[in-house]
Amino acid sequence: MSIILVQGYHLLKGEIEIQGSKNAVLPMMAAAVLHKGTTVLEHVPGIQDVFCMMGILESMGCACALDGHRLTVTAPDLSDIRIPEKNGKAMRSSIMLLGALLGRCGEALVHYPGGCSIGSRPIDLHLSALKQMGVEFSEEGDLIHARTGKLRGGQISLPYPSVGATENILLAAAAAEGATVLKGAAMEPEVESLCRMLQAMGVNIQGAGTGEIRVEGGAELHDAAWDVPGDRIVSGTYLSAVMAAGGEAVLKRSSPGHLENVIRTMERMGAEIRVRGGDMEIKSKGRPAAVSVETGPYPGFPTDLQSMMLALLALGQGKGRLKETVFEGRFATAKELHKMGADIIIEEKEAFVTGGRSLRGTQVQARDLRGGAALVVAGLAAEGTTRITDCRHIFRGYEDICRDLSSLGADIRREG
Ligand code: EPZ
């Protein structure tokens, strides 16, 4: 039983350091498979998805050692090219090992990662790009067998800036023969940090962080140590928490440079946010002002903070609007917020939210990772106690949301 209890109406005040980024560290762990030696990652978050990825790497013959927030991966020789089904199903990001295994061994056995509660999440863009690089696929049920005699670099264009497809292509391109020019690449900061790490390992990459990335394949890789950036989505979650509960906080190592759109939006809603190097200071009081927000690929408003925005608009004053353009099923949390008294109408890709009401604590269910975190945010500003069930979703991406928010003065604890 993974339950979180939140007692509303406690102002927040204090300082916390933000954990390393889940969506940055997972592709970095996949990149370590490309190299026969040792890769060291610092600021690795202690989250379920990291432990799951470590299990997959170890099942393939890698040695993984997590000492605090330092992860050391050594991969002298791989004993298996198969991603265990249970891990693959438990964590979609395991699909990123496809590119790494093809780069390292020329073969991979993976299961279709399957959809989840936010959408069908196909991998057609991954597969079509890898086919252009000389990969052949055969399928038996939901098992995909990928093979290549030789990965070939080339000109690849993505019709949609898929983060995972971009990362898989980069990982394969690092080991391919010749140069790969990827157009229409995702520009998320996590893609850029993967590029920086690959460069540190010896890969010649131009255009990191832009929509056109050139990779010279076939370089001899060497040992490298790399820093996982602060998790911008966890930062945005805690900014939302201060806006919901009221108060002030300093978020250390919080990647403000990757949250410009979010900071501007929150300032429009009435928050005062100051950036100091890699830290942010936020002050907020009263109900957030209503805004109209549309999610989109970076540098647009991140879809991963859409659910938090839903909670803030429900608490806010006036009529707000949220358009979700990235995932087709990411409004599941609205139903849970309704139970707390929120006035949210969903019409296809849009949510129309009428604020001005007080939310009341009740029992709600976390439907997905970020939706669960949004229920915590709503609970901070709800009357009474909010009991959130199925919090295993939250533990996949938040190292310890109760520890963090308690240190800011929230009355929040885990039960069971
Ligand atoms: C990454 O998922 C993140 N996960 C997601 O964070 C994030 O929401 C998403 O990027 C968008 O920013 C990790 O990095 C581990 P996409 P990914 O490929 O790579 C469609 C979280 O909460 N698509 O950019 O799966 C897809 O269905 C998670 O931390 C295809 O149609 O995202 C979706 O509608 C949730 N075909 C859209 O593109 C494909 O082959 C964006 O997907 C691939 C994607």
Side-chain angles (χ1 to χ4, degrees):
M1 285 288 276
S2 51
I3 290 169
I4 289 179
L5 296 171
V6 186
Q7 189 68 29
Y9 295 171
H10 288 262
L11 286 176
L12 300 186
K13 186 172 175 54
E15 174 178 302
I16 47 176
E17 177 165 324
I18 299 297
Q19 69 183 58
S21 165
K22 167 178 90 75
N23 292 349
V25 72
L26 294 173
M28 289 171 158
M29 292 172 74
V33 170
L34 286 170
H35 174 42
K36 290 186 168 55
T38 296
T39 304
V40 176
L41 297 176
E42 302 283 358
H43 289 105
V44 171
I47 56 177
Q48 287 306 318
D49 274 14
V50 164
F51 306 141
C52 180
M53 188 64 112
M54 285 172 64
I56 296 173
L57 297 190
E58 286 164 342
S59 73
M60 292 173 358
C62 300
C64 296
L66 184 59
D67 174 13
H69 291 109
R70 170 179 296 148
L71 175 66
T72 302
V73 180
T74 307
D77 47 84
L78 298 188
S79 53
D80 202 340
I81 50 112
R82 174 195 326 263
I83 295 173
E85 182 171 8
K86 68 175 174 47
N87 300 60
K89 294 282 185 197
M91 189 183 65
R92 277 186 44 77
S93 344
S94 53
I95 195 63
M96 243 162 279
L97 286 163
L98 186 55
L101 281 168
L102 286 164
R104 174 73 186 263
C105 320
E107 192 177 8
L109 263 174
V110 299
H111 289 266
Y112 265 102
C116 62
S117 52
I118 62 174
S120 58
R121 304 186 77 178
I123 56 168
D124 55 310
L125 300 179
H126 300 237
L127 303 183
S128 55
L130 291 169
K131 276 179 192 153
Q132 292 179 62
M133 299 177 78
V135 180
E136 290 168 8
F137 293 95
S138 57
E139 298 182 12
E140 284 157 45
D142 74 347
L143 187 64
I144 305 170
H145 190 182
R147 269 176 293 218
T148 180
K150 181 179 284 296
L151 275 175
R152 295 189 308 271
Q155 305 277 338
I156 295 174
S157 287
L158 281 174
Y160 180 87
S162 156
V163 173
T166 299
E167 291 163 346
N168 248 332
I169 294 162
L170 291 172
L171 290 164
E177 183 180 74
T180 298
V181 177
L182 172 57
K183 293 183 178 173
M187 298 191 279
E188 269 67 6
E190 295 77 26
V191 172
E192 181 175 0
S193 55
L194 174 63
C195 288
R196 301 296 178 210
M197 178 186 159
L198 288 169
Q199 288 170 326
M201 293 169 74
V203 182
N204 179 345
I205 297 182
Q206 310 296 322
T210 72
E212 182 167 328
I213 305 175
R214 178 190 174 87
V215 181
E216 292 295 338
E220 186 67 31
L221 302 184
H222 48 71
D223 290 5
W226 202 250
D227 225 13
V228 179
D231 192 312
R232 63 188 172 106
I233 303 303
V234 171
S235 298
T237 304
Y238 293 168
L239 290 174
S240 307
V242 175
M243 289 180 70
E248 54 189 84
V250 175
L251 306 183
K252 311 285 286 180
R253 227 181 151 263
S254 47
S255 299
H258 296 148
L259 283 167
E260 284 171 7
N261 192 313
V262 173
I263 292 170
R264 279 201 309 275
T265 302
M266 290 181 166
E267 286 175 335
R268 280 172 30 219
M269 298 172 82
E272 280 177 50
I273 298 174
R274 256 205 295 281
V275 173
R276 289 210 177 88
D279 304 341
M280 266 187 287
E281 182 182 356
I282 179 171
K283 287 183 183 166
S284 182
K285 61 179 185 297
R287 290 178 178 275
V291 290
S292 175
V293 176
E294 192 165 312
T295 68
Y298 195 86
F301 190 92
T303 173
D304 292 349
L305 289 174
Q306 179 256 92
S307 299
M308 285 71 171
M309 198 45 64
L310 212 49
L312 289 179
L313 292 176
L315 291 163
Q317 46 187 328
K319 292 187 180 298
R321 171 187 163 272
L322 250 179
K323 185 170 184 183
E324 170 60 56
T325 70
V326 179
F327 288 105
E328 73 274 17
R330 202 164 198 176
F331 282 131
T333 301
K335 206 172 23 258
E336 300 306 309
L337 291 168
H338 276 141
K339 294 177 189 170
M340 299 174 75
D343 179 350
I344 303 171
I345 296 169
I346 304 291
E347 285 176 11
E348 291 189 18
K349 289 176 178 275
E350 292 184 286
F352 298 94
V353 190
T354 305
R357 307 167 138 211
S358 295
L359 299 185
R360 59 182 178 283
T362 183
Q363 173 147 318
V364 288
Q365 181 184 358
R367 303 277 174 168
D368 58 75
L369 163 57
R370 306 302 175 183
L375 294 174
V376 169
V377 168
L380 294 171
E383 189 181 351
T385 304
T386 302
R387 189 169 191 273
I388 305 165
T389 62
D390 230 355
C391 290
R392 60 190 165 84
H393 291 295
I394 302 176
F395 306 140
R396 283 191 41 221
Y398 292 82
E399 196 169 71
D400 192 336
I401 197 166
C402 295
R403 170 202 66 197
D404 289 344
L405 293 177
S406 302
S407 71
L408 294 180
D411 180 349
I412 179 173
R413 63 186 172 82
R414 187 170 163 176
E415 184 187 82

